[in-house]
Amino acid sequence: MLSDDLKVLLASSFSFYLKATNFHWNVEGPDFPQYHEFLGNLYIEVYASIDLVAEYIRAMDSYAPGSLTRYSELTIIQDQLMIPKAELMMEELLVDNTKMIELLNHCFAAAESENQQGIANFIAERIDAHQKHGWMLRSILKKTRG
């Protein structure tokens, strides 16, 4: 059911946003300015999508989850309790971003199957955004050209 899928998307988007924010606050190292700016842009972009996901859930006559407990039950993004080194932060976000794209593709298929074109369009835009995040994360992590 699309509304249930969107609840997972809401919790996962919030978890991804929170992890990017945590990394933004705590990143260190010789590339600190670039990482700090990248992570700030990442969490701001993802945060901007969260309210829209919740509003689509409500438009489908369902209730949007809004507690950390419920988010922890629904999210596909694993929490990070440690402060990893900068490169490990980027690697972890790349793995999580790939999970987000998989979830978004699932939500897109559900929206299409339920003839929810407006939601499908929104999800397609989120897929594009996360594909761009993936490109940037892969580029940050790339060691050599080849």
Side-chain angles (χ1 to χ4, degrees):
M1 177 178 248
L2 178 58
S3 61
D4 290 336
D5 294 336
L6 291 176
K7 290 175 185 180
V8 173
L9 179 60
L10 178 63
S12 300
S13 296
F14 187 85
S15 298
F16 188 87
Y17 149 78
L18 188 59
K19 185 181 284 189
T21 303
N22 174 25
F23 290 172
H24 170 77
W25 290 336
N26 292 298
V27 70
E28 297 176 313
D31 295 319
F32 168 78
Q34 295 88 346
Y35 288 151
H36 187 73
E37 181 178 357
F38 169 76
L39 292 165
N41 291 336
L42 178 64
Y43 84 73
I44 288 168
E45 192 286 323
V46 173
Y47 180 77
S49 72
I50 292 171
D51 186 60
L52 294 170
V53 176
E55 288 179 0
Y56 279 122
I57 293 168
R58 293 296 296 133
M60 297 189 74
D61 203 27
S62 191
Y63 291 103
S67 72
L68 294 176
T69 299
R70 191 70 178 119
Y71 285 170
S72 71
E73 294 168 352
L74 292 169
T75 188
I76 62 166
I77 304 300
Q78 186 175 354
D79 198 12
Q80 176 54 270
L81 301 177
M82 307 297 288
I83 306 298
K85 298 215 177 275
E87 186 173 344
L88 294 176
M89 289 177 177
M90 301 304 156
E91 289 174 0
E92 187 170 332
L93 285 172
L94 180 58
V95 169
D96 290 342
N97 191 68
T98 301
K99 291 177 185 177
M100 291 299 298
I101 291 171
E102 291 169 1
L103 175 58
L104 286 160
N105 281 318
H106 175 79
C107 290
F108 182 81
E112 282 196 321
S113 73
E114 293 186 27
N115 291 322
Q116 293 288 337
Q117 282 74 27
I119 296 173
N121 289 341
F122 168 73
I123 298 296
E125 291 173 2
R126 298 306 310 143
I127 292 169
D128 286 345
H130 277 279
Q131 286 174 337
K132 183 176 181 183
H133 300 324
W135 160 57
M136 292 187 172
L137 287 161
R138 285 188 306 277
S139 295
I140 288 168
L141 292 166
K142 191 169 187 174
K143 301 283 187 216
T144 61
R145 288 183 75 127

